[in-house]
Amino acid sequence: MRTIHFDVTRLFVRGSRFSPTGIDRVVLAYAAWLLNRSDVRLEPVLTMGGRLWSLRPRVLAELVGGAQLFASQAQVQEDPAFDRLLVALGAPPDVDPPVRARPVTYQIPARARWYADVARRSLLHLRPAAPERDSLYLNVSHTGLGDPHVLSRIRAAGAEPIVMVHDLIPIHHPEYCSPQAETRHLRRMRQIVDHAAHVISNSATTGQEFEAYARACGDRVPPVTVIPLGLQPEFLSRPSPVHVERPYFVCVGTIEARKNLAFLLALWRRLEEHLHERTPRLVLVGRRGWENEAVIDHLERSKTVLRLVLEVCDLRDRDLARLVAGAAALLSPTFAEGFDLPVLEALALRTPVIASRIPVHGELAASATLVDPVDGPAWLRAIEHAALCCGRGPATNSPTWPAHFKALEDVLSLATAAWPIPSTTLLPAESQHT
């Protein structure tokens, strides 16, 4: 039986969050998968001070179970934000005040008490982890790799570090990230290049970028396996789409400079000049992030945007799936992505996609309409065409978590497990994903 030291640092420090990001979801999916395997000895670990500290598997089960419990409560509770959105989509643009995001707060006290109790008991029982020869260290979040000695110590003990690389955006596009992000990511990637036994990549685009970076660093290029991330079941089923008289478009993602949303909002002002009362609405789904001052100015001060653009966050998967399924198209004018989960979710729902012409969209969204991210006239033509046609996209072969983990078994040299293995299917959306 092989030992897997699974790094849960990100899950542990972000366990009280109501709405997990895309990377949070990956960690939770892996945790649920590992907890349900009887052919591995699972040792959850935290990375602190450049060293590994062991948690009991029961703690990891509590973290995953708690996230599922709070999500299941959210599924049965009424969501006033989604209800307000539906009313606004069906009303004339100037009837009510603009819909703006209100982060969910009703679970905060209960979640805080639960998380404080789990964290307290966990820290009381922390002990140094000692990876043994032929064991695996698995990190799928980037978190914990900031110290330059973490992977070298694991490798020196005879264990094999397996890591997932989600993107190299802080290195290639530091202008879209916090001032410290580039330095942190350079440290992480350098460690991975020097010491990883195997790299898992969420897309061929990310894998190729990592290999190019590794070659630029020196002679060693760790083996890379591309395994696309899975979609939640709500996006693979046939949800009842939102039905409203006026066409609407959806853009899903954290509101930050990299997503190119100031450009999109400027397009909506130009659309109104062309279409007047026939101008479709735009729904932004996601929390407000960083470097977004220009977007916020549009959202709060532009008369056109105040009337035609709606903003929500913390939607449940089932509600987000309904919203995307009823849209004239999903829009993704982003400048850079490692995967872009919302685009694949829309394609799975057969919702047309208009996306920026960047490498990962060319790889994963062949049926989408791809447009240069700063070509305003081309975007206007594509949006106007989609608003008039309101057609459905072609059926696609969507990535699933069972397929992801089946491919992972080969990387980890594990036996093929029976399917389906339970996963974190109840988690609310924050795709809102990054």
Side-chain angles (χ1 to χ4, degrees):
M1 182 178 293
R2 199 164 201 188
T3 298
I4 296 181
H5 306 277
F6 179 52
D7 198 309
V8 299
T9 307
R10 185 181 181 99
L11 177 58
F12 188 79
V13 300
R14 295 163 64 91
S16 62
R17 287 176 62 95
F18 170 80
S19 195
T21 65
I23 294 180
D24 297 335
R25 284 165 164 262
V26 173
V27 180
L28 284 161
Y30 267 69
W33 176 69
L34 288 168
L35 285 166
N36 283 280
R37 291 198 70 107
S38 59
D39 59 338
V40 301
R41 178 179 172 270
L42 174 61
E43 182 177 11
V45 295
L46 298 178
T47 306
M48 297 188 299
R51 297 186 181 278
L52 301 185
W53 299 84
S54 181
L55 288 174
R56 293 174 296 179
R58 186 173 68 184
V59 172
L60 179 58
E62 284 189 68
L63 288 170
V64 175
Q68 292 180 323
L69 174 63
F70 285 111
S72 65
Q73 293 172 353
Q75 295 285 6
V76 299
Q77 189 161 349
E78 292 185 4
D79 185 356
F82 187 65
D83 292 340
R84 280 198 309 273
L85 175 63
L86 295 181
V87 171
L89 284 173
D94 53 357
V95 169
D96 294 312
V99 173
R100 290 294 173 259
R102 297 178 185 176
V104 170
T105 59
Y106 65 86
Q107 284 189 350
I108 287 178
R111 288 183 75 95
R113 289 193 298 271
W114 163 77
Y115 179 69
D117 178 63
V118 174
R120 178 186 58 81
R121 288 185 287 107
S122 302
L123 295 174
L124 286 175
H125 294 91
L126 271 185
R127 65 183 189 279
E132 63 271 22
R133 185 167 298 280
D134 295 329
S135 64
L136 298 178
Y137 166 78
L138 181 60
N139 187 316
V140 297
S141 71
H142 295 169
T143 306
L145 299 179
D147 187 285
H149 305 297
V150 173
L151 295 188
S152 62
R153 288 171 178 152
I154 293 170
R155 201 68 190 261
E160 296 182 29
I162 311 291
V163 297
M164 178 179 287
V165 174
H166 292 268
D167 60 67
L168 281 79
I169 291 172
I171 297 174
H172 293 157
H173 300 281
E175 67 273 20
Y176 300 137
C177 306
S178 65
Q180 301 80 25
E182 181 183 12
T183 300
R184 287 198 302 266
H185 216 55
L186 282 168
R187 283 200 300 264
R188 295 167 181 154
M189 293 303 114
R190 183 75 238 195
Q191 270 207 91
I192 294 170
V193 168
D194 290 342
H195 302 294
H198 208 109
V199 170
I200 305 161
S201 171
N202 54 5
S203 67
T205 299
T206 299
Q208 291 161 6
E209 290 180 354
F210 173 77
E211 289 173 333
Y213 173 81
R215 285 192 294 271
C217 288
D219 296 331
R220 184 177 190 272
V221 180
V224 176
T225 298
V226 177
I227 314 179
L229 307 178
L231 304 187
Q232 296 296 96
E234 288 80 359
F235 298 95
L236 299 171
S237 61
R238 297 186 178 217
S240 172
V242 169
H243 289 292
V244 291
E245 184 176 346
R246 181 190 295 260
Y248 68 89
F249 291 77
V250 176
C251 181
V252 182
T254 303
I255 297 177
E256 55 177 302
R258 174 169 59 91
K259 301 296 186 177
N260 200 19
L261 297 182
F263 169 82
L264 188 59
L265 296 181
L267 283 179
W268 237 256
R269 296 182 63 177
R270 185 59 59 86
L271 269 177
E272 190 189 35
E273 295 175 7
H274 291 184
L275 300 178
H276 305 292
E277 70 279 358
R278 295 183 294 113
T279 307
R281 282 195 174 90
L282 171 65
V283 183
L284 301 182
V285 185
R287 290 197 173 197
R288 296 185 179 187
W290 46 92
E291 302 292 337
N292 60 13
E293 290 82 2
V295 178
I296 303 306
D297 285 343
H298 277 85
L299 288 172
E300 297 181 352
R301 296 164 59 188
S302 166
K303 293 180 180 178
T304 299
V305 171
L306 285 169
R307 290 192 301 107
L308 294 172
V309 178
L310 313 175
E311 180 194 0
V312 293
C313 67
D314 294 336
L315 291 186
R316 299 170 291 193
D317 276 346
R318 69 182 187 190
D319 293 336
L320 180 61
R322 289 189 60 207
L323 182 68
V324 174
L330 179 128
L331 308 178
S332 181
T334 178
F335 287 119
E337 295 291 339
F339 189 68
D340 207 342
L341 190 57
V343 162
L344 292 183
E345 291 170 345
L347 293 176
L349 295 168
R350 301 189 65 179
T351 297
V353 171
I354 306 171
S356 53
R357 188 181 292 115
I358 58 176
V360 75
H361 287 158
E363 172 195 345
L364 299 175
S367 62
T369 299
L370 301 183
V371 185
D372 186 285
V374 294
D375 188 343
W379 275 90
L380 284 172
R381 289 193 297 271
I383 292 171
E384 289 186 22
H385 176 75
L388 293 173
C389 291
C390 293
R392 295 293 87 189
T396 60
N397 291 321
S398 303
T400 65
W401 280 119
H404 178 97
F405 289 124
K406 190 173 189 310
L408 183 67
E409 288 167 345
D410 293 334
V411 175
L412 304 185
S413 299
L414 300 177
T416 300
W419 298 102
I421 287 180
S423 64
T424 51
T425 58
L426 295 175
L427 292 170
E430 159 73 10
S431 359
Q432 317 177 71
H433 311 298
T434 59

